[in-house]
Amino acid sequence: MELEKKLISYFEWFHRNPELSYEEYGTTARIREILTEAGIEILPCKLETGLVAVIRGKSEGPVQALRCDIDALPVVEETGLSYASEYKGKMHACGHDFHTVSGIGCALLLQERRQELAGTVKVIFQPGEESSLGALKILETNVMDDVEMVWGIHADPTNEAGVLGIREGYVSAAVDRFKITVKGVGCHGAHPDDGTDPIPVAAAIVTALQCIVTRNVNAFHPALLSVTRIEAGKTWNVIPESAVLEGTVRTMNREDRVLFEKRVAEIARNTAVAYGAAAEVEWTAGCPAVYNDEKMVKKSMEAAEKCKLAVVPEESSMGGDDFSFLEEEIPGCYVKVGTGKGPAIHQPGFAVDERVILPTANYLTELILAR
Ligand code: NI
């Protein structure tokens, strides 16, 4: 079977069989089967799900890695595709099936073109990207220890199929999470003076937190804070004893992450004290910001030209990708691949134009082969 047909049939299989973060057993087995059949070496490493394939070139050169995430989302698919998810409530709504098959295609092509390859390529099929921490599983295996540069892609339904979005510098944000529990004293709704109402405290904290962005962060640094959940009380005539706020902070610069962690805690605790209440703050650090290396961006542009793929300047996003963990110590480059304009990623109608699969595999191959 010709390569394009093969890759499309693999893609449809992955799309029909989505698996959530860290449950990617069937996906891993299928990738292993395809690669092993093609004679591609799989590195023995301790990964519950996900795997690392390796292609060794015929001449000396750097160790490069290509990262492809493989997990799906808890979304009920509404694409109406003939190869729609067979598991209700699970869907490849972020295009990781496309990333997987592009990585497979690239591995197959590199295996055939080993004579042209200088150095070694590790194709990393990473579990649990949607948890924002799956890349840490890869780092734990030490397969990244000798890697000198890492490449990544992401499906982009805001661009026509095959149009690449490339930018130098920060591509996406660091993703951190906070939870604030305001502790007051519950009482009758008619007698607030008998207790300490946590609700006005929570409201004051929500308002004050926005001042971090406008008053504390350098105006030239992208940053945002969203309070996304407030929970307090059970009924209309009882003042509850506590209120919970949750939210996310997105930053690009490392020092801003530290600043936010400090200021969120200060504002929450001190506002609560001012109102006679108390606040507990939990901070959960997620992945850092994705940063595209200048030299690698240049290479990715050149490969696009060679493959006759159009390139548009990519806007940076306040979304995140745990790809950033892999490039904390080494240069990396993360390219957005237009998958045909349509519903956004993480939406039930998101779909990938299959015509983009082979060109993407070819593109990644040229990128890695380029000297
Ligand atoms: Ni994704």
Side-chain angles (χ1 to χ4, degrees), residues 67 69 71 73 93-96 99 129-130 153-155 320-321 334 345-346:
R67 180 278 219 155
D69 39 9
D71 54 332
L73 282 162
C94 199
H96 298 185
H99 306 166
E129 192 283 323
E130 298 295 353
I153 54 164
H154 206 289
D321 193 307
Y334 180 90
I345 52 169
H346 293 212

Side-chain angles (χ1 to χ4, degrees), residues 158-326:
T158 67
N159 264 327
E160 298 295 351
V163 174
L164 305 178
I166 304 178
R167 93 175 262 119
E168 195 185 310
Y170 288 110
V171 177
S172 68
V175 178
D176 294 321
R177 177 175 168 177
F178 63 85
K179 182 179 176 187
I180 299 166
T181 307
V182 179
K183 295 191 167 164
V185 179
C187 57
H188 195 298
H191 303 289
D193 50 313
D194 285 344
T196 306
D197 187 350
I199 291 179
V201 185
I205 291 173
V206 170
T207 308
L209 287 177
Q210 290 307 330
C211 281
I212 306 174
V213 177
T214 60
R215 304 291 84 180
N216 300 142
V217 175
N218 181 322
F220 291 98
H221 294 186
L224 69 79
L225 177 151
S226 295
V227 175
T228 52
R229 186 171 84 89
I230 303 187
E231 205 174 297
K234 293 255 177 331
T235 187
W236 66 281
N237 57 0
V238 177
I239 288 173
E241 64 169 353
S242 66
V244 174
L245 311 175
E246 258 192 303
T248 183
V249 168
R250 305 295 168 108
T251 50
M252 302 275 178
N253 299 67
R254 283 175 199 229
E255 64 269 29
D256 292 336
R257 287 184 91 182
V258 180
L259 173 76
F260 266 99
E261 183 177 359
K262 178 170 165 277
R263 292 294 291 141
V264 166
E266 282 173 357
I267 287 173
R269 290 196 189 116
N270 293 326
T271 304
V273 168
Y275 282 74
E280 273 176 15
V281 184
E282 282 171 52
W283 181 269
T284 311
C287 56
V290 174
Y291 186 88
N292 276 353
D293 174 76
E294 188 188 336
K295 278 193 200 132
M296 291 177 74
V297 163
K298 198 165 163 263
K299 267 186 138 183
S300 62
M301 298 276 199
E302 286 162 2
E305 207 182 316
K306 190 162 187 196
C307 295
K308 298 193 168 56
L309 294 174
V311 176
V312 292
E314 177 66 20
E315 302 230 342
S316 51
S317 151
M318 292 313 251
D321 193 307
D322 69 1
F323 176 78
S324 53
F325 280 122
L326 304 178

Side-chain angles (χ1 to χ4, degrees), residues 16 23 27 71 84 88 153 169 181 184 200 204 357 361:
R16 277 200 304 273
E23 295 173 4
T27 306
D71 54 332
K88 197 170 176 179
I153 54 164
T181 307
I357 295 171

